Amino acid sequence: SEHKGVTRPPGYPLFLSFVYSIFGHSYQAVRIFQALIDTLTCLVIFYLGGAIFNFSIGHIAALGYAFYFPVIIYTGVLYTETVFSLLLAIAMLFLLVAIKYDRFIHWMFSGLFLGATTLISSRSEFVPFFILIALLLNKYSLKNSFIKIGVIVLFMLLVISPWTIRNYLVTGKFILIENYNQDGRGLWLATNPYGAMTWSDPEVKELVKDMPINERVIFFQREARENLKRYPLSYLQTSIKRFFTLLFSSHGGHILGLQSSFHSAWTEKDWPVLCFKSLLLCINSLFTVFGFLGLWFSGIKREKEKLVLLVPIFYFIILHTFYVSSARLQISIIPYMMIFSILGIDRTLKLIFPRKSGHSEKFPVCRRSL
């Protein structure tokens, strides 16, 4: 088939096949596995928060993540976010240890886990560019930075290479992970000036009806470039919308009874649904605001290792602001934003309720070995 090897990386299907091979075709078994996986993410958050700030921040951030409703919602849905978040968090943890102790094995494992993350979703394939910036800001020399990032990329590609080879054997073309996500429509959808559209809209399908997939990719790339030239202001407006879509959402679309939009609930005067969705939206919005406050309060002067936490935050915000965005993609940055959100809440409370003299206003830096 012309579609083989181009539309989806193999990581999550392999995870599903592993669960199904043990428990049969059971969606409930997948949900249980994903809940267990998210428990491991809590542990990684604990170590990240403890290593960069202190173990109090790590404890509270891990606890907050465990009970945060968007995270709980997506463990019950067969999406890539839960597995993706764990593997990415482990990659960031090894990166933190590598920056602290500068041992080859830590750089290697960071690359290996980043490669595994990319096999779950190709969204992470350009993370190394942001890691390079973090290394330079950590006062690594340009040469040393490229050596370290070279190790990460090498082992990342080592994990990805079997799938790349498979793609070549099946399609006869070099396709690293996937062929521009859904035959290139993602790029066109991000730049189109015609309002919100999805991959499944009839208008989009009609554009490339009966067109071979390779021609579709070329077509959508060309049209995307033309859209950027002709409608730059429209692209800027939709990018702003994507930013708010990513960070400010009720995440109620996957909760039984809350699938309707705010507009539908208001039109139908479904006040219980409207009130509950509004409550969830307020909670997530406060989480986001306190996360950015934590970023502001923390700065980068005292512990530059915290740049490790900034890598996924800024990478995915930039990616989904200027490319394709949806509420569920916020899950990728929640582990790191949770740490900064707890920090933001703590510092805000200290400003409102100042502590007596003799108490330090700063978190003690954790020097305990990971």
Side-chain angles (χ1 to χ4, degrees):
S1 169
E2 64 172 357
H3 294 281
K4 285 183 178 179
V6 295
T7 60
R8 187 181 299 275
Y12 194 67
L14 285 173
F15 165 74
L16 293 178
S17 66
F18 169 75
V19 177
Y20 293 155
S21 68
I22 299 173
F23 299 99
H25 200 265
S26 170
Y27 295 152
Q28 192 61 30
V30 176
R31 295 186 182 103
I32 293 172
F33 262 79
Q34 291 188 160
L36 294 173
I37 285 171
D38 230 32
T39 303
L40 298 177
T41 306
C42 292
L43 292 175
V44 179
I45 292 172
F46 166 72
Y47 282 112
L48 284 171
I52 293 176
F53 296 108
N54 60 47
F55 280 129
S56 293
I57 290 295
H59 273 119
I60 299 171
L63 189 64
Y65 183 85
F67 289 97
Y68 196 51
F69 72 93
V71 175
I72 296 172
I73 290 170
Y74 290 105
T75 57
V77 183
L78 272 64
Y79 287 157
T80 60
E81 273 63 35
T82 299
V83 182
F84 182 86
S85 294
L86 173 64
L87 294 175
L88 180 63
I90 295 174
M92 293 300 105
L93 181 61
F94 274 111
L95 178 61
L96 172 64
V97 178
I99 289 175
K100 276 181 172 287
Y101 303 112
D102 197 16
R103 294 173 183 167
F104 175 83
I105 191 170
H106 298 141
W107 298 104
M108 180 189 75
F109 274 107
S110 181
L112 290 174
F113 276 98
L114 193 55
T117 304
T118 306
L119 286 180
I120 298 295
S121 172
S122 61
R123 293 185 296 123
S124 61
E125 63 182 312
F126 298 113
V127 168
F129 290 105
F130 280 68
I131 295 176
L132 177 61
I133 295 172
L135 295 180
L136 292 172
L137 291 175
N138 270 283
K139 296 185 177 179
Y140 279 78
S141 67
L142 187 62
K143 178 181 178 182
N144 201 17
S145 296
F146 274 101
I147 291 174
K148 303 305 182 188
I149 206 68
V151 173
I152 290 176
V153 171
L154 174 64
F155 284 95
M156 183 179 172
L157 291 176
L158 187 64
V159 175
I160 295 172
S161 59
W163 181 247
T164 305
I165 294 169
R166 179 265 182 193
N167 288 341
Y168 181 80
L169 293 176
V170 171
T171 67
K173 296 182 178 296
F174 175 80
I175 301 172
L176 183 64
I177 302 293
E178 57 183 351
N179 203 351
Y180 294 99
N181 191 10
Q182 298 291 338
D183 63 29
R185 276 174 283 182
L187 186 63
W188 181 81
L189 288 169
T191 61
N192 88 85
Y194 314 115
M197 303 181 77
T198 67
W199 284 294
S200 57
D201 284 346
E203 297 90 340
V204 180
K205 291 183 177 180
E206 191 65 28
L207 284 171
V208 289
K209 185 178 180 181
D210 300 325
M211 187 183 294
I213 191 166
N214 292 331
E215 293 182 20
R216 276 182 256 167
V217 173
I218 296 171
F219 171 81
F220 280 122
Q221 284 182 322
R222 183 180 66 247
E223 291 300 310
R225 289 193 296 268
E226 288 300 315
N227 286 338
L228 285 172
K229 292 178 183 177
R230 295 178 183 177
Y231 312 104
L233 289 180
S234 176
Y235 176 66
L236 179 61
Q237 290 173 349
T238 54
S239 294
I240 293 172
K241 290 180 181 178
R242 282 191 288 265
F243 174 83
F244 284 97
T245 297
L246 177 69
L247 296 174
F248 300 92
S249 172
S250 70
H251 292 278
H254 297 287
I255 300 177
L256 184 63
L258 299 182
Q259 291 93 339
S260 60
S261 65
F262 278 96
H263 181 266
S264 298
W266 177 266
T267 303
E268 298 170 7
K269 297 182 178 180
D270 194 344
W271 307 125
V273 170
L274 187 63
C275 289
F276 195 60
K277 286 176 72 74
S278 298
L279 175 62
L280 297 181
L281 175 61
C282 287
I283 293 172
N284 190 49
S285 298
L286 285 172
F287 162 78
T288 300
V289 169
F290 278 116
F292 282 114
L293 281 175
L295 285 168
W296 173 265
F297 286 133
S298 69
I300 60 172
K301 293 181 180 180
R302 180 168 55 84
E303 281 295 304
K304 289 194 174 182
E305 288 91 345
K306 70 169 66 73
L307 290 168
V308 171
L309 301 183
L310 300 185
V311 167
I313 291 175
F314 282 99
Y315 172 77
F316 286 111
I317 287 179
I318 292 172
L319 175 67
H320 297 305
T321 294
F322 295 103
Y323 188 50
V324 176
S325 182
S326 68
R328 71 185 178 95
L329 298 176
Q330 184 192 25
I331 300 299
S332 304
I333 65 173
I334 284 180
Y336 321 98
M337 286 292 286
M338 182 62 71
I339 295 171
F340 284 110
S341 186
I342 298 302
L343 179 65
I345 292 171
D346 182 89
R347 292 297 175 87
T348 301
L349 290 175
K350 286 179 180 178
L351 289 175
I352 298 173
F353 306 105
R355 295 182 179 180
K356 295 180 180 179
S357 59
H359 291 274
S360 173
E361 288 298 313
K362 295 184 178 181
F363 291 110
V365 180
C366 173
R367 300 297 181 186
R368 194 174 303 179
S369 171
L370 289 170

